[in-house]
């Protein structure tokens, strides 16, 4: 499950939309969707 406090003021550099694009390009649409949304949604809905 992916968690973040972005946009963070403690990061060495500010968040950029390309950061999210990199995750999607690296994992592919289906896995990125699971990491960034679906896994957490499933976990909360099953509680």
């Amino acid at each position: 499950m992916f968690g973040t406090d972005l946009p963070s003021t403690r990061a060495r550099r500010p968040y950029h939309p390309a950061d999210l694009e990199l995750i999607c390009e690296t994992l592919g649409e289906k896995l990125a969707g699971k990491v960034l949304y679906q896994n957490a949604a499933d976990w909360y809905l099953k509680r």
Side-chain angles (χ1 to χ4, degrees), residues 15-27 36:
Y15 168 78
H16 191 275
D19 299 332
L20 186 57
E21 293 170 11
L22 178 61
I23 293 171
C24 294
E25 289 172 3
T26 302
L27 298 178
L36 298 171

Side-chain angles (χ1 to χ4, degrees), residues 3-5 7-11 13-15 20-23 26 30-32 34 36-38 40-41 44 47:
T4 183
D5 64 350
S8 174
T9 58
R10 299 174 305 215
R13 68 169 181 75
Y15 168 78
L20 186 57
E21 293 170 11
L22 178 61
I23 293 171
T26 302
K30 185 175 182 178
L31 285 178
K34 285 186 168 199
L36 298 171
Y37 171 76
Q38 196 60 54
Y44 282 108
R47 300 196 103 236

